[in-house]
Amino acid sequence: MLKIENLTVSVSGKEVLTDINLEIKKGERMALLGPNGSGKTSLLMTIMGFSDYKITRGNIIFKGKRINDLSVDERARSGIGIMFQRPPTIRGVKLRQMVDVISKSGFDTDKEAGELNLKEFLDRDVSLGFSGGELKRSELFQLLAHSPQLSLFDEPESGVDLENVVLVGKIMNRILSKDKDSAALIITHTGYIFDYVKADEGCVLAGGRIHCLGDPRRILETVKEHGYERCIACERKRPKRKSRK
Amino acid sequence: MRTEKTKKKIPQIDIGSYKSETKRKSYLKDLEKVSADQRKNMLSAGVDPSHKNRSGTYIQMDHSVVYSKSLYPGLEVMSTTEALKKYKWLDNYFWKVLSVDADEFTEQAEAQPHHGYFLRALPGVKAVYPLQACLFINEDNIIQNVHNIIIAEEGADLQVITGCATASDVRRGLHIGISEFYVKKGAKLTFTMIHNWAEDVSVRPRTAALVEENGTFLSNYICLKPVKTIQMYPKAELVGQRAMARYNSILFALPGAHLDVGSRVILKAEGSRAEVVARAVSAGGDIIARGHLKGEAQGIKAHLECRGLMVSEKGLIHAIPELEGTIKGVDLSHEAAVGKIAKDEIEYLMARGLNEGEAQAAIIRGFMDTSIMGLPPELQKEIDVAISACEREVF
Ligand SMILES: Nc1ncnc2c1ncn2[C@@H]1O[C@H](COP(=O)(O)OP(=O)(O)OP(=O)(O)O)[C@@H](O)[C@H]1O
Ligand SMILES: [Mg+2]
C-alpha cells in the first residue's frame, strides 16, 4: 500500500529524516517507535504532503503511484488520512461543519459524536480550548468521517485516561476495519494502544533514521529494559522479513 | 487621524453628479408584490419580504415609502416624515446626537431629505422577533438621503435588522443615511445592519446613539458584498450610569472597494462599559478599521479589538485604534492584529480532503463568524441566512 524509498527530508534547512526505507502492505499495521525529536511526526507529515517538509531525495509510493508531487488534499482524497499529534485550532469553523464536509453520505454525525463523547463539542470551534484527551477524540472523529485506506495515527493514546483508551482503541479498530486492506502507521511511546489495536510490525526511528524492524512487542520490551540505545545498536542484526503479498 | 496615505486614498464624492429626481414608486398593499430580483437582494441584506419571523417591516425604494407596517402591539413603524406629523415632540430627536453641519453629507441630508424610518418600542415592550427595515436603491445613478430615528423607550427591548440593497441592474449611486438612536433607561436596542450594495455605490452613513442609565446598545454591522466606498464612524454616547454599548463589525473588501469604518464610544457616566470588535478581511480591497474609546467618568471599562486578515497580494488593512482617558480610574484597552491565513490551518483542512480554495473559504468564513455578535438565537439564525446568501455570491 505504502512504500517509502531512500527518503530524505528537511525542515527549514535542517535534515530531519535520512534515507528512510519502509513498506506497509495492504492490511498491515505498523508501529513506529522512537525517542522524542527523532522524526516520527515529520515522517507522517511528509507522507501527508505538508509543505514545510521538503523531500530532498527519495520517493513515496502509494498504491503503486509516486505521490511526491501530489498536494495534501489530493493525497487525502486518494486515501491517506492522519490523526494529528498537535492539530491547529480553526477559529469559527465548528467541529460539526468540519465533519459534515469530510464525511461521505451515510455518516451519522450526531450518532458518531455521541459514540465518541463529543456531542457538546459539535458546535465548538475545531480544537479551540479542547483538553488533551478531547483533542485525540476530535481527531479520531474526523478520521472516522474521512475513513481513509491508510491511516496515520500520531500518538493516539498519549494523554488519554484509562477509560478513554478503550474508546480510542475501539474507534481505531472501526477505522481499520472499514475494509480488509486498510493499513496503518501508528506512532506510540508506550504501546498501551496495542492492548486494543493489534500491530503486525514495528520499527524504530532514531536521529531521523530507521533502525530496528520487527515484532513491535519485542521492540517495546527491549526499549523498556535497555532504552533506545540497544535498538539503535542492533541495526545490523535487523531480521530479514519474509515477504507476504 | 488620517495618515497621508489613507487620506489620499479616500475617493472624493461629487454629490451633484447623482440624480436627485426619481420615479415615484407606488405603495405595496401586499409585500409579495416585490419582484423576484428585489426579493433576492433584500434577502441577502437580511430583509425578508414575506415578513416571516418579523415584528414589522419598513421598505423604502429610492425616494418612496413603499411599505410600512407593525405587526406587534407597542412597536411603531413608519416613515420619519409621517412620524413628524404624528408626534410634535419628535422634532427634539432630530439632529440631537448628530449635528447638521458636521459635513457635506449631513447638510445634504437636511437640505433634501427623502424620508427614512421611524422605529420605536413603547416602554417595557419586548418582542421576540425583530423589526426589519430596508432602504433599497432601484434606479441607477441616484442619490438617496434618509434620516432615521430609532427609539427604545424605558425598559423596552427592541431588535432591528436593517438591510440596504440595490436592484441588480443598479451600478452607481450615493446613499446618505442619517441615523439617530435613543436607548432610554433600562432599555435594550439590538441593531444589525447588513449592506448589500452594488459595485459602484458610495455610502455615507452618519450615525450616533444616546444611551441612558442601565441601557444597552448593541450595534452590528456586516458588509460582505462589493461596494465602491463606505465611510462611517458611528458614535455612542453613554450618558447614564452603567450604560453599555457594543459595536461589532464584519468587513470584507473585494478589489476596488474602499471601506473606512470605525466605531466610537464616549463613556460619560460612571460604571459605563463598551466593547468594540472588528473583523476585517481584504481580498484585494482597502479597509481602514478605526476605533476610538474615550473614558470621561469613574469606573468605566472599555475594550477595543480589531483583527484583520489579508487574503490577497493586493489591498490594505489599516487598523487605527485610539484610546483616550480624561480622568483617573478609567480602564481602557485595545488589541489589534493584521495577518495572513496560517498555512498550517489551510493544510490541516486539506489533509481532510478540502482543496486549497475550499480550505481558504472555510477559514475566511470562520474568521467572520457572527457568533462574536452575541445575538439572540432567533436573530442569529436570520443573520446566518443572509450571510450565506452573500457568501454564495462572493465565494
Ligand atoms: N516545522 C519545524 N521547524 C523546525 N524544526 C522542526 C519542525 N518540525 C520538526 N522539527 C524538528 O525535527 C525534529 C523531529 O521532530 P518530530 O516532531 O518529527 O519528532 P517526533 O519524533 O515526532 O518527536 P515526539 O516524540 O516528541 O513527538 C525535531 O528536532 C524538531 O524540532
Ligand atoms: Mg511527534
Side-chain angles (χ1 to χ4, degrees):
Chain A
M1 171 142 315
L2 180 78
K3 208 165 173 180
I4 294 174
E5 301 173 342
N6 309 107
L7 188 75
T8 299
V9 173
S10 32
V11 179
S12 36
K14 175 189 160 199
E15 193 166 298
V16 292
L17 296 171
T18 309
D19 200 26
I20 304 284
N21 286 286
L22 197 69
E23 185 175 358
I24 300 173
K25 297 200 163 58
K26 284 180 181 169
E28 191 176 53
R29 293 122 182 233
M30 167 86 73
L32 181 58
L33 308 160
N36 292 140
S38 58
K40 302 180 298 297
T41 297
S42 301
L43 180 59
L44 264 51
M45 300 299 260
T46 308
I47 296 169
M48 202 68 235
F50 275 72
S51 57
D52 277 349
Y53 300 82
K54 302 263 185 313
I55 299 179
T56 55
R57 222 158 59 81
N59 294 314
I60 304 174
I61 293 155
F62 180 61
K63 295 194 286 190
K65 286 203 195 79
R66 183 175 177 273
I67 59 164
N68 288 38
D69 302 319
L70 292 192
S71 63
V72 178
D73 58 311
E74 285 166 331
R75 296 182 202 205
R77 284 196 298 270
S78 76
I80 308 178
I82 183 166
M83 172 187 183
F84 287 84
Q85 182 179 16
R86 271 185 309 270
T89 57
I90 315 286
R91 270 175 199 276
V93 177
K94 311 292 171 210
L95 185 58
R96 178 192 296 282
Q97 295 172 315
M98 191 74 192
V99 167
D100 285 347
V101 175
I102 303 167
S103 60
K104 303 169 180 72
S105 61
F107 188 83
D108 186 339
T109 303
D110 285 277
K111 182 174 153 272
E112 299 296 2
E115 194 87 357
L116 275 147
N117 296 328
L118 284 172
K119 263 229 151 90
E120 65 264 46
F121 292 82
L122 282 174
D123 296 309
R124 274 173 63 174
D125 293 0
V126 175
S127 302
L128 181 65
F130 290 14
S131 77
E134 290 160 359
L135 275 179
K136 298 291 175 196
R137 297 207 307 276
S138 148
E139 284 296 305
L140 272 180
F141 183 36
Q142 294 178 56
L143 200 59
L144 185 67
H146 184 174
S147 101
Q149 283 169 291
L150 173 66
S151 300
L152 310 172
F153 296 98
D154 200 342
E155 301 192 18
E157 85 279 42
S158 78
V160 177
D161 68 43
L162 290 172
E163 264 172 62
N164 275 302
V165 172
V166 184
L167 181 61
V168 165
K170 187 173 144 201
I171 302 300
M172 284 174 70
N173 277 321
R174 274 187 57 199
I175 294 170
L176 293 174
S177 60
K178 278 267 150 74
D179 79 64
K180 67 173 185 4
D181 290 343
S182 296
L185 186 56
I186 306 165
I187 298 179
T188 178
H189 284 294
T190 60
Y192 294 151
I193 197 63
F194 299 145
D195 293 346
Y196 311 96
V197 180
K198 201 178 127 298
D200 311 299
E201 277 300 337
C203 65
V204 173
L205 193 63
R209 290 172 187 272
I210 296 277
H211 288 270
C212 189
L213 200 62
D215 175 27
R217 284 175 191 269
R218 276 199 41 210
I219 297 176
L220 267 168
E221 275 162 32
T222 313
V223 172
K224 271 182 196 150
E225 236 172 284
H226 308 286
Y228 276 110
E229 266 158 55
R230 178 70 69 93
C231 282
I232 296 164
C234 89
E235 178 177 22
R236 270 167 234 103
K237 286 179 274 165
R238 181 155 76 193
K240 279 255 175 341
R241 294 170 66 208
K242 276 186 241 117
S243 72
R244 47 165 210 187
K245 259 258 149 85
Chain B
M1 267 193 308
R2 284 176 191 170
T3 66
E4 277 316 304
K5 185 176 177 199
T6 55
K7 193 179 198 170
K8 246 184 280 154
K9 282 192 150 222
I10 293 175
Q12 292 301 305
I13 290 176
D14 178 7
I15 293 180
S17 71
Y18 297 90
K19 276 196 308 191
S20 57
E21 295 300 315
T22 67
K23 276 203 286 292
R24 231 189 101 77
K25 315 294 180 297
S26 51
Y27 193 84
L28 299 166
K29 286 220 179 55
D30 180 1
L31 257 190
E32 299 297 321
K33 294 268 159 61
V34 299
S35 74
D37 176 67
Q38 289 167 341
R39 172 185 302 271
K40 186 185 113 232
N41 288 306
M42 285 181 191
L43 278 172
S44 298
V47 175
D48 187 345
S50 73
H51 54 205
K52 203 176 95 217
N53 298 347
R54 297 291 189 270
S55 294
T57 300
Y58 175 90
I59 297 177
Q60 176 168 344
M61 276 190 197
D62 301 332
H63 303 165
S64 310
V65 180
V66 299
Y67 195 85
S68 90
K69 185 175 194 156
S70 167
L71 300 169
Y72 195 90
L75 295 185
E76 298 182 328
V77 178
M78 64 191 93
S79 72
T80 34
T81 321
E82 195 188 334
L84 271 173
K85 282 185 212 144
K86 183 168 177 181
Y87 296 122
K88 284 275 155 319
W89 49 262
L90 191 57
D91 250 341
N92 299 329
Y93 287 72
F94 272 73
W95 301 115
K96 183 175 170 186
V97 274
L98 284 166
S99 69
V100 65
D101 55 5
D103 61 23
E104 55 183 318
F105 304 107
T106 50
E107 281 167 6
Q108 174 67 22
E110 175 62 8
Q112 220 177 58
H114 309 128
H115 310 293
Y117 49 77
F118 171 77
L119 308 174
R120 178 175 176 231
L122 296 181
V125 170
K126 295 180 160 89
V128 177
Y129 294 117
L131 291 177
Q132 61 179 356
C134 180
L135 299 167
F136 199 85
I137 294 185
N138 204 45
E139 278 181 50
D140 199 21
N141 228 2
I142 65 155
I143 182 170
Q144 183 185 53
N145 307 318
V146 298
H147 196 140
N148 311 310
I149 303 281
I150 302 94
I151 305 172
E153 298 285 359
E154 281 189 22
D157 186 344
L158 175 61
Q159 299 174 45
V160 178
I161 295 185
T162 126
C164 295
T166 52
S168 294
D169 53 357
V170 166
R171 290 283 154 263
R172 187 170 180 272
L174 172 62
H175 169 88
I176 298 175
I178 310 296
S179 302
E180 296 182 85
F181 295 88
Y182 298 90
V183 183
K184 303 288 181 70
K185 273 189 193 165
K188 181 174 177 186
L189 175 54
T190 307
F191 183 80
T192 302
M193 178 156 77
I194 301 177
H195 273 170
N196 184 12
W197 299 108
E199 263 153 65
D200 207 7
V201 174
S202 293
V203 186
R204 293 293 178 272
R206 295 292 177 262
T207 306
L210 203 63
V211 188
E212 295 182 2
E213 199 176 312
N214 291 321
T216 301
F217 178 55
L218 303 179
S219 176
N220 301 306
Y221 176 62
I222 298 163
C223 179
L224 302 182
K225 292 290 285 293
V227 61
K228 188 177 184 198
T229 75
I230 293 181
Q231 190 273 318
M232 63 183 214
Y233 210 159
K235 170 184 80 172
E237 290 186 30
L238 308 184
V239 295
Q241 292 192 5
R242 294 174 303 281
M244 211 284 255
R246 186 181 162 122
Y247 281 98
N248 298 301
S249 327
I250 294 179
L251 311 169
F252 182 81
L254 286 161
H258 187 100
L259 276 52
D260 183 340
V261 175
S263 309
R264 173 177 281 141
V265 184
I266 323 276
L267 300 102
K268 293 184 160 173
E270 220 177 299
S272 55
R273 283 170 302 134
E275 208 169 344
V276 172
V277 179
R279 296 274 185 275
V281 177
S282 167
D286 297 346
I287 300 176
I288 303 169
R290 299 171 196 274
H292 182 195
L293 298 173
K294 191 169 181 191
E296 301 182 344
Q298 295 280 346
I300 63 99
K301 188 174 168 68
H303 184 69
L304 190 67
E305 179 191 309
C306 175
R307 287 178 197 281
L309 194 61
M310 293 291 305
V311 299
S312 157
E313 294 305 318
K314 298 206 183 67
L316 161 137
I317 296 177
H318 187 165
I320 310 176
E322 289 182 68
L323 305 178
E324 210 180 327
T326 61
I327 187 171
K328 96 171 199 280
V330 298
D331 180 352
L332 302 170
S333 58
H334 81 76
E335 56 184 301
V338 177
K340 60 177 193 314
I341 299 181
K343 195 174 61 182
D344 64 330
E345 293 179 23
I346 294 262
E347 290 186 331
Y348 179 79
L349 297 178
M350 288 171 76
R352 306 288 186 223
L354 283 74
N355 68 35
E356 192 170 358
E358 292 166 342
Q360 202 165 21
I363 290 170
I364 295 171
R365 277 176 213 197
F367 183 82
M368 301 191 298
D369 185 13
T370 50
S371 64
I372 61 161
M373 296 184 166
L375 298 169
E378 290 83 10
L379 196 56
Q380 178 74 54
K381 247 195 284 169
E382 297 304 316
I383 301 301
D384 287 344
V385 170
I387 290 215
S388 338
C390 286
E391 281 175 346
R392 269 197 296 279
E393 291 180 44
V394 175
F395 294 117

